[in-house]
Amino acid sequence: MLTFIFKDLLLFWRNRKEILTVLVTPIVLIVILSFAFSGVAGGSTSPLDLKLAIVNQDAEEAGIRQFIADIERLEDQTAAQALMEHSADMKPIAYLEQYLQRPEVADWLTVYELSESEALQQLKEKKIDGWIKIPQGYTYDMLNAIMLDKEASAVSLPFVVAENSMNVTVIQMMISEFFDQMNFQLALQHSGGDRTAAEAVAMPEGGREALEGAEPFTMGQYFTMAMGALFSLFIASTVAEKTGTEKREEVIKRIVAANTKPMSYLMGKTCATFVLVWLQFSFVVIVSHLLLGLFTGKPLSFWIGLLLMITVYALTVAGISAFYTSISLRTNKMDAANGLILLFTMALGILGGNFVPIYLFPEWLQRISEWTPNGLMLSTVIEWIQLESGTSLGMPLVVLSLVGILFLFAGMLLYPKRGEA
């Protein structure tokens, strides 16, 4: 088996093009993407230029007066008086506008107040990314839902866009964050039991949230891990491609004629992949750190945890390469097999957040990401960067190990017996 490991390492070393691809290309991409996305997390500048229009068809003050007139007719005048005092300060539209126009986002979010026709025209001309429509009666309906717990299913705030884009996704996330925080504050208010007291609700002000004891990660750190994980998968597919080449050039037949143990070839490929992935990933992390100062000031325990995560991930990718190798030996159409393997690898890269930050994707896609080995590895390392908590590594390490074992076991089952390849 050692002979096969040495063979694959030597073949990889002799191919300078592949070495440049898996070592230099990810570092170049890390530098470019780190600056391109520097404003999304942990950066001082922002590449985003968001333009949002608000089409307000509601009369907020009139809605408040209409609501006050309704509660004046309540039988419980004590509760009615309390509701009137607090409804006068409850202005849903004003809160939303203040949230979107706060100084912290002024550099990269511009908010316009337009009519519906103007918003449609500017959206068509791509002068704005989208517009929020505040329908007539919105304030009145919201006050009924908030203060009196009436049915709020009819209360809606349409967000109109021409097409999906990163800008649209960011704006959607901001709007969702606003309403999530507002709903949370309202839930806290009503959980006290005495709803007639109508205590003042603290509306969200926006800004960056920080967990106690957690450090924010930077886009440089994110893309270092993302590119390292992605190009590790490419190594696994490259090993499978070389298997096809060896089969086409009848190297496999010569190995069989040498009366070697059949499983030695597969284990050699698997172990060689582990060594290559470990070296490649470690090289990318170290060089990126030296170039960009990504992990300056981190303690030794952080580097030990990161090295452990890279090692387990390398074992997982090695198991995947064993699966790829067996498929390559089984098939008679190598071009089709290589295409499917590459397609599967690219799908893992997309779902795992290796091309675009997964935090810009919808929540359901973020959940799917954690079911991919590269996505799980990426999310775990980001959490390790933020918290450096040993408990955050335990379960992901077990899951990644199991995934690697399952792929290796599948590769061993598919591995052709003597005379079948």
Side-chain angles (χ1 to χ4, degrees):
M1 187 176 70
L2 291 176
T3 303
F4 291 115
I5 296 174
F6 181 75
K7 170 186 69 70
D8 285 304
L9 293 177
L10 185 60
L11 288 174
F12 192 86
W13 172 253
R14 288 177 175 176
N15 194 328
R16 299 293 188 266
K17 182 179 178 181
E18 287 184 3
I19 293 177
L20 290 175
T21 299
V22 300
L23 296 182
V24 178
T25 304
I27 294 173
V28 174
L29 290 174
I30 289 166
V31 173
I32 294 173
L33 293 173
S34 297
F35 286 103
F37 287 87
S38 59
V40 177
S44 58
T45 60
S46 173
L48 298 176
D49 184 17
L50 311 180
K51 292 180 173 60
L52 174 68
I54 295 179
V55 177
N56 188 1
Q57 299 179 343
D58 187 35
E60 190 170 55
E61 294 298 332
I64 295 174
R65 289 195 298 269
Q66 183 182 357
F67 177 76
I68 292 176
D70 288 347
I71 62 177
E72 285 177 343
R73 294 191 288 269
L74 294 176
E75 295 181 0
D76 188 345
Q77 288 300 308
T78 302
Q81 184 62 34
L83 289 170
M84 281 190 289
E85 290 177 0
H86 293 290
S87 61
D89 298 326
M90 186 69 65
K91 298 180 178 181
I93 299 175
Y95 290 140
L96 177 61
E97 291 177 342
Q98 290 171 10
Y99 175 80
L100 294 174
Q101 296 174 354
R102 63 193 190 278
E104 303 94 283
V105 300
D107 292 338
W108 46 275
L109 173 63
T110 306
V111 181
Y112 305 94
E113 293 188 7
L114 305 174
S115 65
E116 185 170 354
S117 59
E118 291 173 333
L120 286 170
Q121 182 62 29
Q122 292 202 17
L123 184 64
K124 183 178 180 180
E125 297 173 357
K126 297 185 179 181
K127 293 182 179 180
I128 59 175
D129 297 302
W131 53 278
I132 299 175
K133 180 179 179 180
I134 301 176
Q136 186 176 2
Y138 176 78
T139 300
Y140 177 74
D141 292 336
M142 281 294 293
L143 289 175
N144 275 287
I146 293 172
M147 308 298 288
L148 299 179
D149 282 347
K150 290 187 176 180
E151 181 62 42
S153 59
V155 181
S156 62
L157 203 65
F159 178 46
V160 183
V161 299
E163 57 185 11
N164 287 326
S165 65
M166 187 179 72
N167 285 6
V168 169
T169 301
V170 173
I171 295 174
Q172 286 177 324
M173 292 172 63
M174 292 179 61
I175 298 171
S176 297
E177 180 188 9
F178 172 81
F179 285 106
D180 287 344
Q181 292 184 39
M182 186 173 71
N183 291 335
F184 177 70
Q185 294 292 341
L186 293 172
L188 287 180
Q189 174 195 4
H190 292 310
S191 65
D194 185 9
R195 299 184 181 182
T196 60
E199 298 177 0
V201 178
M203 288 295 115
E205 297 180 358
R208 178 178 297 175
E209 296 183 12
L211 296 174
E212 184 178 353
E215 296 182 10
F217 66 90
T218 66
M219 281 294 100
Q221 294 170 338
Y222 179 92
F223 280 114
T224 296
M225 298 303 152
M227 291 298 107
L230 177 64
F231 280 83
S232 296
L233 293 175
F234 286 153
I235 289 178
S237 61
T238 299
V239 170
E241 184 178 351
K242 288 184 178 298
T243 301
T245 302
E246 291 173 345
K247 180 180 178 181
R248 184 167 49 248
E249 295 178 355
E250 299 188 348
V251 175
I252 302 297
K253 292 183 178 180
R254 292 195 292 272
I255 292 174
V256 173
N259 199 29
T260 58
K261 293 181 179 179
M263 201 58 66
S264 296
Y265 180 81
L266 180 64
M267 291 298 103
K269 291 283 185 183
T270 304
C271 293
T273 303
F274 168 76
V275 173
L276 291 172
V277 169
W278 194 91
L279 291 175
Q280 178 264 344
F281 210 143
S282 301
F283 178 84
V284 169
V285 170
I286 293 173
V287 174
S288 299
H289 167 64
L290 294 176
L291 290 176
L292 303 175
L294 299 177
F295 306 108
T296 303
K298 292 290 187 181
L300 179 62
S301 59
F302 165 80
W303 290 99
I304 293 174
L306 183 59
L307 183 63
L308 178 61
M309 198 68 199
I310 291 174
T311 302
V312 174
Y313 181 69
L315 289 171
T316 304
V317 176
I320 295 174
S321 75
F323 180 70
Y324 286 171
T325 298
S326 294
I327 291 177
S328 298
L329 290 174
R330 281 282 182 181
T331 184
N332 292 322
K333 298 181 179 180
M334 288 309 307
D335 290 338
N338 291 336
L340 289 175
I341 290 172
L342 180 59
L343 184 62
F344 180 69
T345 302
M346 295 297 289
L348 288 178
I350 294 172
L351 293 176
N354 298 121
F355 293 101
V356 178
I358 195 64
Y359 306 103
L360 300 181
F361 289 176
E363 186 177 352
W364 64 270
L365 194 54
Q366 295 183 35
R367 290 196 295 268
I368 292 177
S369 170
E370 296 184 0
W371 286 91
T372 63
N374 50 314
L376 177 59
M377 189 271 179
L378 183 57
S379 62
T380 304
V381 171
I382 292 302
E383 186 175 350
W384 176 247
I385 292 172
Q386 293 179 291
L387 301 175
E388 294 183 31
S389 173
T391 56
S392 63
L393 294 181
M395 186 55 66
L397 289 176
V398 173
V399 173
L400 280 175
S401 299
L402 290 176
V403 171
I405 292 172
L406 288 175
F407 271 106
L408 177 60
F409 185 68
M412 294 172 67
L413 288 178
L414 288 175
Y415 188 71
K417 304 299 186 290
R418 188 180 297 274
E420 292 182 353

